[in-house]
Amino acid sequence: VPTSVSATKRRNILIENYGSLDIGYVDILLTSKDGGSVFREAILLEALEIHQKLTTEVKDKNGHGFQDYCNRPTPSTDCFFDNILSVFDYDENVIQASALNGTLISTIESKKPLKIYAFGSEYDNNSSLVRADALFFSYDTGAEYYEASVEFIGSVLNDIYWEAKKDGTRQTEIFISSSRSLDDEVNRLLGNDSFLFAISI
């Protein structure tokens, strides 16, 4: 697989940090279609909708979802994930209230280190947060569920990525990288190589 593709880069990060590829993941990058800041009520509400759909609604053909495959610090704890929506307790009412009383950005600014969760952040002369270009969300599945979670991750691509692409009313642009990306890239390249090999003989 070419080293330039994003799937290979993510593979190398997994090996470097975990010593293994046996971790499924879905990384989501959200930007605003109009090029404006992602620190706006409508953008955050769409982000929350995607987060909730991925963590509670998307299922594979066996009816299993993120809660069945997620990475948990211990078997008795909740699924581990962390993103900028945690400052709003993953609650649309809190997002709406923060927007209404003008504390949306100051609430976001309390999330540290912000650069992990928001890309292209800009600050004014008083070092106060002004805007950001993109929001980043990452969801890992437990190593013990790696093989089983591959189909679930495929469902995420179908039910979230492609559905969002077809919805012309959305204010966000969505980009997804996943462990399926690497598998699909390998299969694509091997398929092409096999075809060329068959022709050559």
Side-chain angles (χ1 to χ4, degrees):
V1 180
T3 57
S4 59
V5 300
S6 60
T8 307
K9 294 177 182 177
R10 188 61 157 88
R11 170 186 180 277
N12 293 336
I13 292 173
L14 287 175
I15 293 175
E16 180 180 344
N17 289 280
Y18 299 100
S20 170
L21 293 180
D22 294 336
I23 295 177
Y25 68 88
V26 177
D27 289 346
I28 297 177
L29 194 71
L30 282 182
T31 62
S32 170
K33 284 185 176 179
D34 64 10
S37 174
V38 291
F39 294 157
R40 289 179 284 169
E41 178 183 0
I43 303 297
L44 293 170
L45 289 175
E46 286 192 11
L48 178 61
E49 176 192 344
I50 290 171
H51 167 82
Q52 291 176 332
K53 189 170 185 178
L54 188 152
T55 57
T56 63
E57 297 178 24
V58 175
K59 307 292 183 183
D60 61 21
K61 68 179 182 181
N62 297 313
H64 297 146
F66 183 72
Q67 300 296 322
D68 299 299
Y69 298 128
C70 69
N71 183 23
R72 300 174 188 269
T74 67
S76 61
T77 57
D78 292 335
C79 295
F80 177 77
F81 50 77
D82 188 26
N83 54 60
I84 209 163
L85 297 173
S86 66
V87 298
F88 302 106
D89 296 324
Y90 300 98
D91 187 331
E92 65 177 304
N93 294 319
V94 178
I95 294 175
Q96 291 168 337
S98 297
L100 186 63
N101 62 30
T103 61
L104 196 65
I105 291 183
S106 61
T107 302
I108 291 171
E109 199 166 12
S110 67
K111 186 69 173 175
K112 307 294 184 182
L114 185 61
K115 64 181 180 181
I116 295 177
Y117 311 101
F119 298 158
S121 298
E122 295 180 11
Y123 297 81
D124 62 20
N125 293 332
N126 297 317
S127 299
S128 296
L129 183 64
V130 175
R131 55 163 285 132
D133 295 327
L135 297 173
F136 178 73
F137 304 83
S138 186
Y139 305 88
D140 292 340
T141 61
E144 67 270 34
Y145 305 123
Y146 177 70
E147 292 297 333
S149 69
V150 169
E151 186 176 325
F152 164 72
I153 293 172
S155 298
V156 170
L157 298 177
N158 289 330
D159 296 352
I160 293 182
Y161 178 77
W162 291 114
E163 286 301 316
K165 287 292 186 182
K166 290 187 292 184
D167 186 352
T169 66
R170 299 190 69 85
Q171 297 189 42
T172 53
E173 190 74 40
I174 185 171
F175 305 88
I176 292 184
S177 173
S178 73
S179 45
R180 272 293 294 267
S181 304
L182 179 61
D183 293 339
D184 292 345
E185 185 69 10
V186 170
N187 291 334
R188 182 185 69 81
L189 290 170
L190 289 180
N192 289 343
D193 289 345
S194 299
F195 177 70
L196 291 174
F197 178 73
I199 290 178
S200 68
I201 59 176

